Amino acid sequence: MVHQLFYLSSAGTNFDVVKDIKAILAKASSYNPKHNITGILLFHSGLFMQLLEGPKEEVAGLYNKIEKDPRHKNVIKVFAIDHNPRIFTNWSMAYKEVTDVDIKMVNKILSFNNLITRTEKIDNELIIQMLNEFKKHL
Ligand SMILES: Cc1cc2nc3c(=O)[nH]c(=O)nc-3n(C[C@H](O)[C@H](O)[C@H](O)COP(=O)(O)O)c2cc1C
């Protein structure tokens, strides 16, 4: 049993994809293992999607910091649940820049466009399935 929190956000106006992603992943690789946190960070045309998984208090603590980070804005929590097995067991924080090919792949599971624009509520289970699919293609 692990707590899983998934959110969406938009990169800030001065976000530098190479430099800032590198700094975020460096931070995650030291902080996350110490706090038993794993997950995946997805990036697609200025938009982030991140899954944080681990003990509930640790996930909530990290999300609190992330939410306040000026490198992104419009942070929207999609779900925080605790009934799924850990997905990214071997990653402190996996990272993937989502391509059009990836979008075609996940559209078989859920409408990616629908997820990022949030025009309709998407079942948490479909998001979990999408993340499992990304895991296969890391
Ligand atoms: C999109 C995004 C994802 C992030 N993911 C993580 C993460 O997984 N782990 C982490 O430690 N920091 C992450 N950060 C960085 C935190 O927001 C924050 O900079 C860090 O926790 C601050 O640590 P400090 O208070 O020790 O400087 C992320 C930031 C952004 C913008």
Side-chain angles (χ1 to χ4, degrees):
M1 208 67 96
V2 75
H3 194 69
Q4 293 174 318
L5 185 152
F6 182 78
Y7 75 82
L8 303 174
S9 68
S10 328
T13 30
N14 295 321
F15 192 82
D16 181 326
V17 182
V18 177
K19 195 175 124 279
D20 289 332
I21 295 278
K22 203 173 161 195
I24 289 167
L25 295 178
K27 179 81 202 174
S29 72
S30 68
Y31 183 92
N32 298 6
K34 286 185 202 134
H35 297 263
N36 198 10
I37 292 175
T38 56
I40 187 168
L41 177 64
L42 301 170
F43 185 69
H44 174 71
S45 54
L47 207 99
F48 291 111
M49 276 157 270
Q50 190 175 27
L51 176 77
L52 303 172
E53 48 183 9
K56 190 171 185 173
E57 304 70 40
E58 295 288 2
V59 167
L62 177 58
Y63 180 68
N64 245 322
K65 290 180 185 223
I66 292 176
E67 223 185 350
K68 297 189 190 95
D69 196 312
R71 288 171 287 191
H72 63 171
K73 56 191 179 188
N74 310 324
V75 184
I76 306 166
K77 195 190 286 177
V78 178
F79 64 72
I81 50 175
D82 47 25
H83 62 84
N84 274 289
R86 193 186 280 265
I87 301 172
F88 293 92
T89 33
N90 298 322
W91 286 264
S92 58
M93 187 49 63
Y95 174 70
K96 187 160 179 56
E97 212 170 312
V98 179
T99 64
D100 291 345
V101 174
D102 296 321
I103 294 174
K104 271 199 190 122
M105 165 189 88
V106 302
N107 274 345
K108 290 177 190 137
I109 299 166
L110 51 69
S111 159
F112 193 79
N113 192 45
N114 206 337
L115 171 67
I116 62 182
T117 56
R118 290 174 60 84
T119 41
E120 274 172 49
K121 169 107 178 72
I122 292 181
D123 197 293
N124 298 343
E125 202 44 54
L126 292 182
I127 296 172
I128 296 285
Q129 274 181 42
M130 173 190 82
L131 296 170
N132 272 300
E133 204 56 37
F134 275 122
K135 184 179 146 185
K136 288 188 209 157
H137 295 86
L138 280 172

